[in-house]
Amino acid sequence: MEQIKQHKFLLPEKNNKLPVWLTQNDNYNPCRDRDHFIDKTLLALTGKLTLLKNQPAMATDSFFSASFKLICTIVLILLISLSHRLMFPLIVLAVFLTYLACLDSRRISSILKPVSAAMFFSLCIVLPAFISGQQNTLMLPLKVFLTTMSAAFLAQRTAFSALTKALGGLHVPGLFIMVLDLTLKYIILLGNTAADLLIALRLRSIGKNDRKYKSMGSIMGMVFLKANEYSIDTHNAMLCRCFTGDYHVSQKHRLESRYFIYMAIILTMIVVFLYAEEYL
Amino acid sequence: MNTLVELSSVSYKYDNIIALENISLTIKEGELILLTGPNGCGKSTLFKLLNGLVFPSSGKYFFAGQEITPKLLKDNLSAKKFHQQIGYVFQNPDLQLFNPTVYDEIAFGPRQMQFDEDKIRERTDSLLCFLHIEHLRDRVPYHLSGGEKKKVSIAAVLALNPDIIMMDEPLNGLDKKARKWVENFIIDFSAAGKTMLIASHEEEIFTMQNRRTVQLDENHQLVL
Amino acid sequence: MHIPDNYLSPSTCAVFAAAMVPIWYYSLKKIKEDLPKDKIPLIGVGAAFSFLLMMFNLPIPGGTTAHAVGGTLIAVLLGPYTACIAISVALLIQAVIFGDGGILAFGANSFNMAFVLPFTGYYIFRLIKKIWPSPLGKKAAIFIGAYAGINMAAFIAAIEFGLQPLLFADSMGHALYSPYPLSVAIPAMVLPHILIAGIAEAVFTIAIYEFILKVSPGMVYSDQKTKLNPVFALIVTLIVLSPLGLLADGTAWGEWGADEIAADTSFGTTLGYIPDKMINGFNYEAFFPDYTVTGMPDLAGYILSAVIGSAALIIIFKLLGNIKGGANKTA
């Protein structure tokens, strides 16, 4: 009985009827519009979010510590960048391709796709210079290929949380590392919000949108408002848990025997570089 | 009655994780379907699939007699027509509302349909009146209460005049009064002959109404 | 505008990273003074927001899309110092996790997009708002600020590119990094930004700003504290220009390197570079120099090419298998 009463109260009889147009079919014929940009943004967003979400699943207890991998990658990129002759990049290429060939095909394509994109982009850039006679400019795409691949290897094999910890070991201020960790968390939270809003926009983009920038701006505006909510919530949560402004990154500093192996690997890289560049 | 939605042996996998397994489901015009099942059984994925946001790994999906494929939705016009026919009310209205005022929010669809300003106003105002939210007309959706946001998101979707309304967990996060309102809306709207698909983990809602229940189980399969 | 590695010389990257250190330090100091002590989450949130902004594709005439950067917007919303740190963090994550922008070039990218862009945009925004304090003036201020910010950043990036062939060349005068001089790099970088990307950025910025202003005006950074200080503006300009000065000084370094290389006879033929090959035009050996000429033992060269070749073949077959398998799965 009460149910019916409430029902009547909420949707009173006189207005209970549907608007007439809702009972009829619109026989709507859409017109063409260029809204590929929504899909493109959505694709970029979801691709990166998937990658980030899969991050924690990565093994963190490999023989090589995250800080070693980080330093090693930076040294390698530096050496590639410094090399003036073809030999060193070719050696690195041989090692990389051999390693790549050992991976399964899904991994290979997930690494090769962005890396080749970067290489082709740089190829397009140097092409005019190459045609006009600067023939050694083709070194640039090769080097870009190798450095982006080293970065991809690092990202594929190491969870970002392990990397931020590694930064702590390298005496980067704790505050900065905390910001990095928070940022990563927020990217996933806000990224999902942005993705859902974009889907909402896409599902309702059923015709011609004369205010494309307004729609995209509103979505990002909403994301900003959400971002503010999160920031206030996190701040309150931190206060509740007695956050004092210090952020300690737990680190164990022990000289282990594997560190000598790390050193040896980096030294080998440098020696090979010097040899290939004929400094030795 | 015409068949609106037809899924025949649809499975969906991502990263080798099964989200939907061998689903066959037919929705006819004018039906009210309640889709129940525990959390994580694939209800949201099924909604995504029905809205053309993901595509079956195997099996076929027909909407109004037409097979929905990535190729079909790549075509700008077919995609727009398809999206106009389905009204999808998100579980969280916060993620669905992105306009600066309630009026703009509801008028977003009609504006895209290239109606003239008078017709847009007529549609928007009649919806505001039908859902009893005239007083919210010039408010900012972001600052509304949960129940008011829900009403606005329903209005925004109805404005497209879709053939089927799909609501994902429409009662989640609402207080008693707002829950009652949404339940009554569904009952009334269905009684008016509109097709609806409602996902909810609560099986005991709308028992008074003659509705069909389908259940997804933990193995992502449909129990009829 | 994300510069990958190898386009800039490592020394250029080092100069810009060194230039960023005091900027980061000062920004963090200002944030601590400016914001309530423990508003650290705001930086994280700002960084995440900046990261997402850079993923937005905007429709531009001609049917393609342009990328947003959004530096001016973040500076106007959160203040320029928070923006500087937030954008730097976003750039770091992009470089390390996604390979967008180089790891060595992180300093240079931060300089362009986390320093030049937000500060230029923010101060122009403040200046115009002061001169023209009406709502329309505010709108114009944010539009012009965003437009000027991104164009300034593109201009600085172009200078970084354009200085490379001037400063770093091998004994033959061949560029080691980005091969284009200033006369090519500046128009190539700046024109598309002036004509298209800058306008898209400015319109997008205004759209977001207006939405937030309409919905939650209280959330926009109140700029009562930071005063428009001409001395500070001068310092900013000097900081912008000083790395350029350093680079100009580096000319000596570059030439010393070239001399040194030229003095070493074994380096004279390192690239297998023989002028008459160039006269003959396109020549395979010229751009993939024959390793036997470089003085490497034949055997090493053969082993190397065998390894590269067979590994490449395995990869191709695996990928082909994947495409076939993938097609079966989706069918």
Side-chain angles (χ1 to χ4, degrees):
Chain A
M1 195 62 208
E2 201 196 300
Q3 225 163 27
I4 294 165
K5 219 168 105 192
Q6 188 128 18
H7 178 190
K8 282 205 174 146
F9 171 66
L10 285 161
L11 296 176
E13 207 61 55
K14 62 176 165 101
N15 273 333
N16 210 1
K17 263 199 303 185
L18 289 176
V20 181
W21 58 268
L22 255 180
T23 59
Q24 296 162 346
N25 195 325
D26 273 333
N27 285 324
Y28 170 62
N29 279 317
C31 58
R32 215 167 270 280
D33 192 19
R34 279 207 299 257
D35 41 22
H36 185 53
F37 66 97
I38 303 176
D39 286 337
K40 234 169 139 178
T41 307
L42 204 50
L43 210 68
L45 205 59
T46 44
K48 294 202 170 173
L49 286 177
T50 323
L51 216 155
L52 280 182
K53 277 179 215 154
N54 292 339
Q55 281 252 323
M58 282 179 215
T60 43
D61 53 344
S62 93
F63 173 77
F64 297 109
S65 72
S67 39
F68 165 70
K69 287 188 215 165
L70 185 67
I71 294 171
C72 194
T73 309
I74 292 174
V75 170
L76 185 61
I77 292 177
L78 185 67
L79 293 180
I80 294 169
S81 201
L82 280 173
S83 62
H84 293 178
R85 310 181 51 208
L86 201 55
M87 195 62 196
F88 185 69
L90 278 185
I91 293 171
V92 178
L93 181 70
V95 174
F96 276 12
L97 289 187
T98 311
Y99 175 67
L100 207 57
C102 300
L103 299 175
D104 65 81
S105 57
R106 260 185 51 186
R107 257 245 154 89
I108 296 179
S109 67
S110 77
I111 288 176
L112 271 189
K113 251 187 226 160
V115 170
S116 354
M119 186 187 70
F120 279 115
F121 183 69
S122 72
L123 196 65
C124 293
I125 285 183
V126 298
L127 210 58
F130 172 69
I131 290 166
S132 68
Q134 294 209 43
Q135 307 198 321
N136 68 331
T137 46
L138 285 187
M139 278 280 271
L140 188 70
L142 175 66
K143 284 178 166 187
V144 167
F145 182 78
L146 294 175
T147 47
T148 26
M149 201 185 271
S150 352
F153 282 147
L154 177 71
Q156 286 259 332
R157 306 301 306 176
T158 324
F160 196 72
S161 55
L163 280 180
T164 53
K165 250 190 204 155
L167 285 177
L170 303 174
H171 297 287
V172 172
L175 184 76
F176 182 73
I177 294 164
M178 181 177 152
V179 168
L180 269 182
D181 284 340
L182 276 175
T183 303
L184 226 58
K185 200 182 87 186
Y186 289 132
I187 286 177
I188 295 178
L189 271 172
L190 294 174
N192 282 327
T193 307
D196 280 332
L197 284 165
L198 282 165
I199 288 174
L201 171 67
R202 214 192 95 166
L203 290 181
R204 283 204 273 154
S205 291
I206 53 158
K208 200 162 161 44
N209 188 352
D210 298 325
R211 308 173 182 190
K212 292 189 178 67
Y213 273 82
K214 223 172 186 147
S215 304
M216 289 299 255
S218 303
I219 284 178
M220 232 26 222
M222 275 299 296
V223 172
F224 180 75
L225 297 180
K226 282 274 152 201
N228 248 294
E229 280 177 26
Y230 289 144
S231 130
I232 292 163
D233 287 348
T234 312
H235 174 219
N236 291 341
M238 281 172 158
L239 280 187
C240 293
R241 283 156 63 183
C242 308
F243 175 69
T244 53
D246 282 330
Y247 187 72
H248 292 293
V249 184
S250 59
Q251 281 286 325
K252 40 175 189 196
H253 279 293
R254 258 186 302 127
L255 191 63
E256 291 175 38
S257 54
R258 59 178 180 172
Y259 288 173
F260 291 107
I261 301 174
Y262 295 173
M263 296 267 275
I265 293 173
I266 290 176
L267 273 176
T268 313
M269 268 173 17
I270 295 172
V271 168
V272 169
F273 169 79
L274 292 176
Y275 175 70
E277 291 285 304
E278 297 193 353
Y279 289 113
L280 290 181
Chain B
M1 279 290 160
N2 292 328
T3 301
L4 213 51
V5 170
E6 191 185 348
L7 295 174
S8 72
S9 323
V10 165
S11 298
Y12 178 73
K13 281 181 234 182
Y14 62 92
D15 291 343
N16 288 325
I17 299 166
I18 295 166
L20 297 171
E21 175 86 4
N22 200 20
I23 307 269
S24 292
L25 174 69
T26 313
I27 302 176
K28 290 198 161 72
E29 258 176 40
E31 274 192 300
L32 169 62
I33 307 245
L34 179 65
L35 175 70
T36 64
N39 289 335
C41 66
K43 283 184 303 233
S44 294
T45 311
L46 184 59
F47 268 56
K48 276 191 176 165
L49 191 134
L50 288 170
N51 277 283
L53 297 168
V54 297
F55 298 94
S57 312
S58 69
K60 284 182 175 175
Y61 167 33
F62 295 92
F63 187 87
Q66 189 163 33
E67 188 180 352
I68 303 304
T69 58
K71 204 181 154 206
L72 180 83
L73 294 195
K74 247 192 190 129
D75 174 51
N76 195 266
L77 293 185
S78 318
K80 284 179 190 302
K81 180 72 190 156
F82 172 68
H83 290 315
Q84 184 265 324
Q85 287 168 304
I86 299 182
Y88 179 16
V89 181
F90 286 21
Q91 179 178 161
N92 181 357
D94 262 348
L95 302 176
Q96 190 163 19
L97 305 177
F98 52 82
N99 284 289
T101 68
V102 168
Y103 181 86
D104 283 329
E105 196 68 64
I106 301 171
F108 186 84
R111 270 189 188 135
Q112 295 232 344
M113 293 162 95
Q114 302 287 294
F115 293 151
D116 55 58
E117 226 18 80
D118 284 341
K119 196 169 174 188
I120 293 170
R121 197 174 317 115
E122 187 203 314
R123 274 205 171 185
T124 310
D125 285 340
S126 65
L127 275 173
L128 286 167
C129 178
F130 171 57
L131 300 174
H132 302 283
I133 46 174
E134 298 101 321
H135 57 290
L136 302 179
R137 194 178 192 274
D138 297 315
R139 294 273 302 277
V140 176
Y142 178 73
H143 294 304
L144 299 179
S145 74
E148 288 169 331
K149 279 182 192 167
K150 195 87 208 179
K151 292 180 192 178
V152 173
S153 66
I154 291 172
V157 161
L158 289 186
L160 308 179
N161 196 6
D163 297 339
I164 178 169
I165 311 280
M166 300 185 184
M167 299 175 91
D168 191 5
E169 299 285 357
L171 305 180
N172 258 19
L174 298 182
D175 61 24
K176 230 176 178 175
K177 199 176 154 198
R179 269 178 73 105
K180 202 74 231 154
W181 187 95
V182 172
E183 279 188 48
N184 285 335
F185 163 77
I186 292 170
I187 292 164
D188 286 351
F189 205 64
S190 165
K194 287 282 176 180
T195 322
M196 299 189 99
L197 172 68
I198 315 291
S200 176
H201 58 268
E202 297 172 68
E203 288 170 46
E204 54 286 353
I205 50 173
F206 328 121
T207 40
M208 69 288 269
Q209 196 74 12
N210 189 17
R211 55 116 167 100
R212 184 150 73 97
T213 309
V214 290
Q215 197 185 347
L216 268 173
D217 62 13
E218 270 125 3
N219 301 322
H220 315 287
Q221 286 172 328
L222 214 52
V223 189
L224 290 170
Chain C
M1 210 183 295
H2 293 59
I3 304 173
D5 279 330
N6 289 309
Y7 287 79
L8 303 179
S9 78
S11 55
T12 314
C13 295
V15 166
F16 279 100
M20 278 314 285
V21 170
I23 298 171
W24 282 322
Y25 178 78
Y26 188 70
S27 296
L28 281 173
K29 216 179 108 190
K30 287 300 274 190
I31 292 172
K32 273 190 182 162
E33 287 170 14
D34 235 29
L35 294 170
K37 221 177 206 166
D38 27 34
K39 257 206 164 176
I40 306 150
L42 195 66
I43 308 174
V45 152
F49 183 68
S50 155
F51 180 91
L52 295 173
L53 260 176
M54 288 192 242
M55 273 198 280
F56 264 63
N57 286 282
L58 303 169
I60 52 172
T64 50
T65 55
H67 267 284
V69 180
T72 305
L73 179 80
I74 295 167
V76 170
L77 290 176
L78 304 177
Y81 300 103
T82 317
C84 175
I85 299 296
I87 299 170
S88 301
V89 170
L91 288 173
L92 182 68
I93 289 175
Q94 283 184 323
V96 174
I97 302 191
F98 300 105
D100 288 346
I103 290 177
L104 295 183
F106 170 61
N109 280 323
S110 297
F111 188 83
N112 304 339
M113 284 185 277
F115 173 62
V116 174
L117 203 170
F119 278 88
T120 309
Y122 181 74
Y123 281 104
I124 288 178
F125 165 75
R126 288 289 310 274
L127 198 72
I128 297 175
K129 219 175 78 175
K130 206 175 176 187
I131 302 168
W132 191 2
S134 69
L136 185 68
K138 209 170 180 183
K139 220 169 160 173
I142 188 122
F143 184 90
I144 298 170
Y147 183 71
I150 193 165
N151 277 305
M152 191 57 168
F155 177 67
I156 301 291
I159 291 178
E160 289 158 18
F161 281 130
L163 285 175
Q164 299 305 309
L166 265 174
L167 302 184
F168 311 101
D170 64 12
S171 54
M172 300 295 165
H174 291 129
L176 291 168
Y177 304 99
S178 178
Y180 300 107
L182 287 167
S183 57
V184 179
I186 292 179
M189 275 296 284
V190 175
L191 275 182
H193 281 93
I194 284 188
L195 297 176
I196 299 161
I199 297 171
E201 169 91 3
V203 176
F204 189 48
T205 303
I206 222 175
I208 302 175
Y209 186 70
E210 286 206 307
F211 179 88
I212 293 168
L213 221 52
K214 206 165 181 178
V215 173
S216 260
M219 278 183 188
V220 177
Y221 175 73
S222 70
D223 37 24
Q224 313 311 340
K225 269 189 197 161
T226 20
K227 290 204 179 77
L228 203 55
N229 185 342
V231 177
F232 184 73
L234 187 71
I235 294 170
V236 170
T237 322
L238 282 178
I239 297 173
V240 171
L241 292 175
S242 63
L244 295 180
L246 277 175
L247 278 178
D249 288 343
T251 316
W253 181 87
E255 278 178 8
W256 164 79
D259 287 347
E260 193 80 338
I261 292 161
D264 190 334
T265 45
S266 71
F267 276 81
T269 52
T270 45
L271 279 170
Y273 188 85
I274 300 158
D276 63 357
K277 279 190 178 167
M278 221 173 118
I279 297 162
N280 292 336
F282 185 83
N283 190 312
Y284 173 78
E285 278 186 22
F287 76 89
F288 261 141
D290 194 352
Y291 26 81
T292 53
V293 188
T294 64
M296 294 302 295
D298 280 2
L299 192 64
Y302 282 127
I303 292 172
L304 208 54
S305 51
V307 170
I308 292 174
S310 45
L313 274 178
I314 294 172
I315 291 169
I316 289 167
F317 280 122
K318 278 197 174 180
L319 285 179
L320 282 178
N322 189 36
I323 292 164
K324 240 177 123 188
N328 286 340
K329 263 178 232 160
T330 49

